[in-house]
Amino acid sequence: MKIIADENMPNAKALFSHLGNVELVNGRTLTHEQVKDVDVLLVRSVTKVTQELLEGSSVRFVGSATIGVDHIDLDYLVKANIAFSSAPGCNAEAVADYVFSGLSHLYMTKQFSWLSKKIGVIGYGNVGKTVYDRFSRMGCQVCVYDPLKEEGDSSANFVSLDEILLCNVISLHAPLTSLGVYPTKGMIGSKELAQLSAGTAIISAGRGGVIDEVALLKRHSQLNGDLHLILDVWDGEPSINQKLVSIADIATPHIAGYSKQGREKGTWMVYQELCRHLELSSDVISKDVISKNDAISTGWFSSIDVDSAVLLEEMLARSIQAIYDVARDDVRLRYKYRENKEKNVFDWLRKHYVERDELNTCLIRANNNDACNLMGAAGFSVDNKS
């Protein structure tokens, strides 16, 4: 069996090699010629899996180690009788960590105190729900907009888009869609941005194209720069709007979900699905092949003791930044674009990403119930010493 895998899928060779010959490739530049005699195609979001790519090939299974499917022509896969699997939820914790690292950055650099502010989440899929649940457990006043998920779901505070736009913090996690009753492409345009108040924080960590970037630049100017922007996704990736980068508090190359554990979970989930497709057990594999326990790694920092006498919001911000400081990724992006030595800086940054751990890999020790509750809600493991 011939298997092609994106070179940015961790553990791909270790997991899939006992099933066939595995070749690692650049997912962005993948061609029909490369896949024509391949049986299994394993991708990430940078690969557009279309009829043009696959028609006439021997591909019978496509796996995407990501949560989104807007890069996949699902209708064609059904028509061509090609099995498909993605990895829903694999990086939900990682993206939530990105959101809270971004807010921690705003707190530490701009004294943006968000715990007491009104929070709006756009999109209630695996990621949006994880982000919403964290805010909710922290005791924040949080609401969500997702008309496709609202019907019959009373577990969250669903509101209109107009109400979301009145929030102090807006966190976007919607997929990019052009069709249907509620298309998301350009959903946040001039009309919507005009409703934003000065001092609003926008975190965009879903898909580029949901926000009208030209309109966002204009609204930023209208508010005299009093708009906090944490941007991970961009319209036109891998090309990105450098004017927008210049006004963003944080600019990163679509890596919100790039935790070490999240990427590993994505590969593992696709591996399990391929085993099911082949009617093999993913639990019974040869001893020299990586096991599930080894496939999902532990973190670098096993525990942190916090001083419960410190202001809760500062304790939270410093603890989050100890595990993942999003400013590191922002600085690296700006430096590499200034240096401009790479042919494609955006993809180079993704390929050579300095991996980070998820907050849940770190145990927080505290002797204060409020501190333990807050840190646990933020995503840490907690040891209450009180």
Side-chain angles (χ1 to χ4, degrees), residues 264-281:
E264 289 169 345
K265 280 182 278 189
T267 305
W268 178 256
M269 290 169 72
V270 170
Y271 169 74
Q272 289 181 304
E273 288 303 316
L274 178 57
C275 286
R276 291 190 186 98
H277 174 71
L278 298 173
E279 298 183 348
L280 300 173
S281 171

Side-chain angles (χ1 to χ4, degrees), residues 63-257:
S64 181
T66 60
I67 62 173
V69 295
D70 52 281
H71 57 300
I72 308 289
D73 187 341
L74 296 174
D75 291 337
Y76 173 73
L77 295 188
V78 171
K79 176 183 173 183
N81 196 30
I82 298 173
F84 172 71
S85 174
S86 60
C90 68
N91 66 355
E93 298 295 335
V95 178
D97 290 351
Y98 178 95
V99 170
F100 288 93
S101 183
L103 289 172
S104 297
H105 173 80
L106 292 181
Y107 176 80
M108 298 299 290
T109 60
K110 290 185 166 182
Q111 293 76 54
F112 183 78
S113 183
W114 52 270
L115 273 174
S116 60
K117 297 188 184 301
K118 187 172 182 180
I119 313 291
V121 176
I122 296 178
Y124 198 63
N126 287 299
V127 172
K129 186 177 188 304
T130 299
V131 171
Y132 178 95
D133 287 347
R134 286 200 197 181
F135 279 122
S136 182
R137 292 198 306 273
M138 287 177 171
C140 296
Q141 184 183 358
V142 58
C143 54
V144 61
Y145 172 72
D146 191 330
L148 296 177
K149 297 290 179 67
E150 179 176 4
E151 188 175 346
D153 189 336
S154 59
S155 62
N157 179 24
F158 286 96
V159 299
S160 68
L161 181 57
D162 286 341
E163 189 166 341
I164 292 287
L165 296 168
L166 298 177
C167 292
N168 307 109
V169 175
I170 300 172
S171 196
L172 286 91
H173 306 286
L176 184 64
T177 59
S178 300
L179 304 175
V181 181
Y182 300 102
T184 63
K185 186 172 178 60
M187 178 175 67
I188 309 298
S190 298
K191 176 185 174 183
E192 290 74 26
L193 292 168
Q195 299 179 58
L196 300 182
S197 300
T200 300
I202 296 177
I203 306 164
S204 183
R207 284 291 186 266
V210 173
I211 297 180
D212 182 330
E213 294 182 353
V214 173
L216 182 58
L217 281 163
K218 182 178 180 181
R219 185 58 177 154
H220 184 271
S221 177
Q222 290 171 342
L223 292 172
N224 297 314
D226 193 7
L227 198 60
H228 312 299
L229 302 178
I230 299 169
L231 307 176
D232 182 56
V233 293
W234 311 81
D235 192 12
E237 295 175 13
S239 297
I240 64 176
N241 189 327
Q242 292 298 323
K243 288 185 178 179
L244 196 52
V245 171
S246 71
I247 66 168
D249 293 272
I250 292 291
T252 53
H254 201 153
I255 48 74

Side-chain angles (χ1 to χ4, degrees), residues 94 255-264 353 355-358:
I255 48 74
Y258 259 41
S259 71
K260 185 170 174 49
Q261 293 75 28
R263 294 174 66 216
E264 289 169 345
Y353 186 65
E355 289 183 316
R356 71 179 198 262
D357 291 319
E358 294 181 2

